[in-house]
Amino acid sequence: MPSTAATTALPSPWARLANPAGWSVGTHELVFALKTAAGGLLALYIAFRLGLESPYWVLPTSFIVANPFAAAMRSKSMYRLVGTGVGGVMAVVLVPNLVDSPVLLSLALAVWIGLCLYLALLERSPRSYMFMLGGYTVGIIGFQAIGEPQAVFDIALARVEEIALGIGCTTLIGGIVLPRPYGPVVQARLEEWTKPALDWALHALAGTEPSSAALYALRDRLTGEAVEIGMMIPHLSYETAAWARFAGEVDELRQAVLSMVPILSALGDRAWQLKRLGGMTPELAAGLEDAAGWMRAGQSATRAQAGRLMARVSALEEAEPARDWAGVLRASLLARLRDLIGLVEYERALRRHIFKGEPMLPRHAIHLGALAHPVKASDHGLALFSSLGAAFTLLVLCGFWILSGWPGGAGAALMATIACCFFAALDDPTVGMRGMLHYSALSAVAVALYGFVLLPRVEDFGQLALVLLPYLLLAASLAARPATMSAGMTLGANGCTLMALQNHYAGDFAAFANAALGMVGGIGAAILITRIIRQAGVDWIVRRLLRQTWKDIAAATSRPQDRAQFAGRLLDRLGLLLPRLKVAAPNTGALGVNLLRDVRNGLNALVLAREQGGLPLPVRLLVSKVQERVARHYREAPERPPEPGLRVALDAALAALTQVPHDQVTREVMMALVGLRFAFYPEAAPPLALVEPRA
C-alpha cells in the first residue's frame, strides 16, 4: 500500500523521468534490474514449456513482487500468493452463481472489492497488500470467466499457478543471487531516526523555549518518520533467522522512542518555566546536567549509571516539598525525568539485546510507567468512504461495459478498480493515479512497438529474451529507485500485461487497441470519478483525525482506560497528523498547533479518572469539576481557547490538594492538575494558593 503521508506537492511524472538523476543507475540498481529480468524470463520460459494458459502473467508478477531487499520481497510474495488464492476462491463462488445476472454480479464484485479494500486500509501495514489483492483478483479472474463460467475454476487455478510461478522464480533468484539484507537497513534507519530524540532531550534538559523552531523540527521529524519505520518492521519477520526472531523487540524499540514524545514535551516545558520564574535550584540544575551527560554518553553509559541517576531523582523528589508553584513544577519535572530515564534505559537495553546479543533485563527492573503500546488509530469512516469510492467506480465502469458491449470494457473496469485500490490510502489518490495513467500510456506505445515491429521477427525463446531484455532492464532499473519506482513498476507490470505474450505470435491489432484503450481509459475514469467523490482532501482528513483525538480525550476524563493503550493510540494519530499539518491550509493547520499539548492533556485527564477515587471526598468533588470542564472543552470547542472557568476549577483543586496529607495518589493527581494548568494557561500567573509556601 502507498504511504499514508500527504502527497500534494509531487512533481509530474514526466518531470521525474526528464530529471537526469532519475536515470542514474548504481551497482545496487543494476543488480536488482538484472535479477528482476532474470526471474521474469525464467518464469516465462517455464510457463511456455508447461503450456500454461496465460503465461504472460508471470512477467507482471515478477515486477510486482520484486524488491531490492530479500526480506521485503519474500513478505510481499507471501501476501500476494495468499491474496491471489483468496480472490480465486471468491471468483469461483460468485461467477457461476451470478453470471446470468450481470447487474447482480457487478454489485457482488463491488461489495467484495470494497470490503477487502476497507480491511486493507484499516491494516496500515505491508500486510494490507494481501487484503487489497484478495479484492481485485476477483475481477481479474471473474471478468475473464464471464464468457465461459463453467471454466471459472480452471481459470482461477491457472491464475494461481502462473502467479505462483512468477513469485517462485523471482523470489528464488532474488534470494540467492547477491541478496541485500534488510536488517542492517532497518538498524541504520532506527539509528538515524532516534537522533532527534536525543537532541530534543538535551534541549528539554537545558530548558530551551518550547516554541523554538528547532524543537518543532525535531518533534515533527521524530513523530512523522515513526509511521514509515513502522511500515518497515514487519518485513523483518521474513529476514534471516538472526533478524526474524528480533522483529518484536525492534517494534518495542520503536515504541519506546515514540513514547518519549509527550515526556520530552512536558519535561522541556517545566524546565523552561522554572528558568523563567527563577525556580531552578542548584541541586536540580546539577541533576539535569548529569542527566544530559548520561544522555550524551549513549550506549557507553552503563546500567549502574542509570541506576545512580534514578536514585538521585528519587532523592530530589523526597527533598522537594511541592507546596508552592515552583516546588510543584520541580516535582512535576522530576516525575517526567524519571519517566524519560526509564524509557531511555529500556531503549538502550533493547538495542544491546538486538544488536549485540546481550541478555534482556526483565521489564519490572526498569521504570516503564510511560511506555505506550503499539496501537493503530483506525479511522473506520475514512476507510469506508474510500472503499465505497472504489466500489462505486467499479459499478460505473461495469455499467458502461454492459450497456456499450465494448470488448475493452472489462479491462477498463479492472484497471479503474486497481487504480482506486492502490492509491486509496493517499490523501489525494488522483496524484498517484495521474502518474499511473502517464506511465501506462507510455507503456502502451512501447508495447505497440514490440507487438507489431519486433516480436514478429522473433523465432525462438532466446531471441525473445534478447528482445525483451532492454525493456525489462529499463523498467526494473527505474523501479529500484524510490524517486522513479512508480514509473518502473507501471512500465513493468502494465506493459508486460498489455504485451500478453503467448507461445505463438498473435499480432491482433484490434485486441491490442481495445486492451490499451481499456487500460488507459479505465485509469482516466478512475481519476475523474475519484475527483468527483473525494473532493475533500488533506484538510478534511486532518479535521477528522483531530476530531477523533479530541473525542478520545473527552472520553478519557471520565472513563478509566489502560494508559499504554490510550497513549499508543494518541501517538499513532500524532504521527499521521503532523506530516499532513505541514501541507494543510493555514486555517486547518492552525487547529493542530496545540496537538502535542492535547496529547499531554489526554494523558493527564486519564490520571484524574484513574486516581480520583483515592482522594478525600471534598477534593474529589473539585477534581470532578475539572474533569467536567476539560471534557466540555474537548467536546464543544477544542479549537478555541479554554474558558476561564476551567482555570478557576484547576486552581481550586490544586489549593485543596495542598491542605491534605501527601501520598502517592495525591502526588499523581497534583502532577496531572499541574500539567493541565500549564498546558491550558502557560502564560498565566501561578495559582494564588501556591504563590507562597505553606507551613
Side-chain angles (χ1 to χ4, degrees):
M1 288 288 288
S3 169
T4 57
T7 55
T8 57
L10 294 175
S12 72
W14 303 114
R16 284 200 199 120
L17 289 179
N19 179 7
W23 293 88
S24 62
V25 179
T27 303
H28 288 308
E29 288 82 3
L30 181 58
V31 170
F32 171 74
L34 288 170
K35 291 196 298 183
T36 302
L41 290 173
L42 174 63
L44 185 63
Y45 175 77
I46 296 174
F48 282 159
R49 292 298 301 267
L50 294 178
L52 297 184
E53 178 185 344
S54 301
Y56 63 88
W57 274 107
V58 300
L59 275 179
T61 298
S62 296
F63 273 91
I64 291 171
V65 302
N67 192 284
F69 300 100
M73 180 168 57
R74 283 191 286 266
S75 66
K76 193 170 186 180
S77 297
M78 178 60 68
Y79 302 145
R80 181 168 179 82
L81 190 59
V82 173
T84 300
V86 171
V89 170
M90 186 53 60
V92 172
V93 171
L94 293 179
V95 173
N97 293 303
L98 299 176
V99 69
D100 293 328
S101 179
V103 175
L104 282 179
L105 178 58
S106 299
L107 184 60
L109 292 175
V111 170
W112 172 254
I113 290 171
L115 174 62
C116 290
L117 180 57
Y118 171 77
L119 296 174
L121 292 172
L122 291 181
E123 172 60 30
R124 281 181 46 218
S125 81
R127 287 183 291 271
S128 63
Y129 182 63
M130 178 175 59
F131 295 103
M132 183 178 64
L133 194 68
Y136 69 71
T137 296
V138 175
I140 293 175
I141 296 172
F143 289 146
Q144 184 178 352
I146 284 178
E148 43 181 347
Q150 71 283 356
V152 65
F153 178 81
D154 294 333
I155 294 172
L157 181 61
R159 277 311 77 73
V160 173
E161 290 173 344
E162 292 148 6
I163 288 172
L165 178 59
I167 289 172
C169 292
T170 304
T171 305
L172 178 66
I173 291 180
I176 293 177
V177 181
L178 300 175
R180 288 184 69 185
Y182 195 65
V185 174
V186 176
Q187 181 180 357
R189 185 66 187 274
L190 283 169
E191 295 288 350
E192 188 65 26
W193 174 61
T194 54
K195 287 180 182 177
L198 172 61
D199 293 341
W200 189 358
L202 296 177
H203 278 291
L205 293 168
T208 302
E209 184 177 352
S211 59
S212 70
L215 287 186
Y216 277 128
L218 293 173
R219 178 203 68 179
D220 290 352
R221 182 181 169 193
L222 186 62
T223 53
E225 293 183 13
V227 176
E228 298 177 19
I229 291 174
M231 293 289 287
M232 297 173 68
I233 292 174
H235 293 308
L236 285 179
S237 299
Y238 295 84
E239 183 60 289
T240 58
W243 277 101
R245 63 193 181 98
F246 288 123
E249 285 84 352
V250 172
D251 197 31
E252 286 189 40
L253 190 152
R254 167 189 172 272
Q255 201 61 28
V257 176
L258 190 58
S259 299
M260 298 177 195
V261 170
I263 305 304
L264 290 171
S265 176
L267 190 152
D269 280 353
R270 304 299 185 275
W272 172 71
Q273 183 76 344
L274 283 169
K275 285 178 64 176
R276 197 177 67 153
L277 296 175
M280 185 71 72
T281 64
E283 294 80 9
L284 180 57
L288 293 179
E289 181 57 38
D290 286 348
W294 177 74
M295 292 290 297
R296 292 189 192 95
Q299 288 294 332
S300 63
T302 64
R303 292 170 179 169
Q305 289 175 315
R308 288 194 294 270
L309 190 58
M310 192 71 83
R312 184 167 186 176
V313 171
S314 299
L316 288 171
E317 284 179 322
E318 292 174 4
E320 180 56 65
R323 293 292 186 176
D324 63 347
W325 184 239
V328 169
L329 288 179
R330 287 192 293 270
S332 179
L333 184 151
L334 289 168
R336 301 290 80 80
L337 181 57
R338 173 185 292 276
D339 290 336
L340 178 63
I341 294 170
L343 286 171
V344 172
E345 177 59 13
Y346 184 56
E347 181 256 350
R348 289 176 178 175
L350 281 169
R351 283 182 184 276
R352 289 190 290 264
H353 177 58
I354 297 168
F355 304 132
K356 296 183 179 180
E358 294 186 14
M360 185 62 195
L361 283 176
R363 281 195 171 205
H364 61 78
I366 308 175
H367 176 72
L368 291 176
L371 181 65
H373 287 171
V375 178
K376 291 191 178 90
S378 301
D379 188 339
H380 293 269
L382 180 58
L384 181 61
F385 181 67
S386 300
S387 60
L388 287 175
F392 178 75
T393 301
L394 175 63
L395 287 175
V396 171
L397 270 296
C398 283
F400 175 75
W401 174 33
I402 293 169
L403 294 175
S404 67
W406 175 38
L414 179 60
M415 288 307 302
T417 304
I418 292 174
C420 288
C421 289
F422 260 92
F423 301 107
L426 297 181
D427 295 340
D428 182 4
T430 61
V431 173
M433 291 179 186
R434 287 197 300 270
M436 188 179 187
L437 176 63
H438 294 155
Y439 302 137
S440 295
L442 188 61
S443 72
V445 174
V447 170
L449 174 64
Y450 266 91
F452 302 102
V453 177
L454 300 177
L455 292 183
R457 293 168 171 78
V458 170
E459 297 182 357
D460 56 38
F461 186 82
Q463 294 179 5
L464 176 64
L466 288 175
V467 168
L468 291 178
L469 193 59
Y471 184 85
L472 299 180
L473 289 177
L474 171 64
S477 298
L478 292 172
R481 304 182 72 254
T484 55
M485 183 181 67
S486 59
M489 285 297 178
T490 303
L491 290 171
N494 288 6
C496 291
T497 302
L498 189 60
M499 210 174 292
L501 294 172
Q502 298 286 357
N503 257 316
H504 59 278
Y505 176 73
D508 188 339
F509 183 79
F512 163 76
N514 275 309
L517 288 174
M519 180 175 67
V520 175
I523 300 171
I527 294 173
L528 179 62
I529 296 172
T530 301
R531 271 186 180 164
I532 295 172
I533 295 175
R534 288 186 61 168
Q535 293 184 5
V538 64
D539 293 327
W540 180 71
I541 294 174
V542 165
R543 291 174 184 271
R544 280 188 60 84
L545 292 172
L546 285 172
R547 283 195 295 269
Q548 291 168 3
T549 300
W550 294 333
K551 182 180 178 182
D552 284 349
I553 295 171
T557 60
S558 58
R559 187 175 70 248
Q561 303 178 37
D562 181 86
R563 185 204 179 278
Q565 294 284 339
F566 180 75
R569 186 164 62 253
L570 292 190
L571 289 173
D572 183 65
R573 202 175 287 134
L574 187 70
L576 297 176
L577 269 164
L578 287 178
R580 289 181 165 100
L581 290 172
K582 296 179 182 178
V583 296
N587 60 332
T588 301
L591 297 177
V593 70
N594 293 318
L595 183 58
L596 189 49
R597 180 207 70 178
D598 292 335
V599 171
R600 286 163 43 197
N601 285 345
L603 296 174
N604 285 320
L606 202 63
V607 173
L608 299 184
R610 186 185 67 228
E611 303 291 351
Q612 67 156 332
L615 297 171
L617 181 59
V619 181
R620 190 190 314 165
L621 294 175
L622 292 172
V623 170
S624 295
K625 291 182 179 180
V626 172
Q627 294 172 273
E628 291 170 5
R629 291 188 177 275
V630 171
R632 186 188 308 164
H633 170 77
Y634 281 106
R635 278 198 305 263
E636 299 176 1
E639 70 279 3
R640 295 202 294 267
E643 58 177 355
L646 175 56
R647 179 181 169 187
V648 173
L650 283 164
D651 289 356
L654 283 167
L657 277 174
T658 63
Q659 304 296 321
V660 300
H662 275 210
D663 55 18
Q664 184 61 31
V665 171
T666 56
R667 187 181 183 85
E668 289 285 337
V669 172
M670 179 172 281
M671 296 301 101
L673 292 172
V674 169
L676 288 169
R677 193 184 190 279
F678 190 78
F680 279 121
Y681 309 101
E683 303 296 333
L688 290 177
L690 295 173
V691 172
E692 296 294 338
R694 293 179 177 270

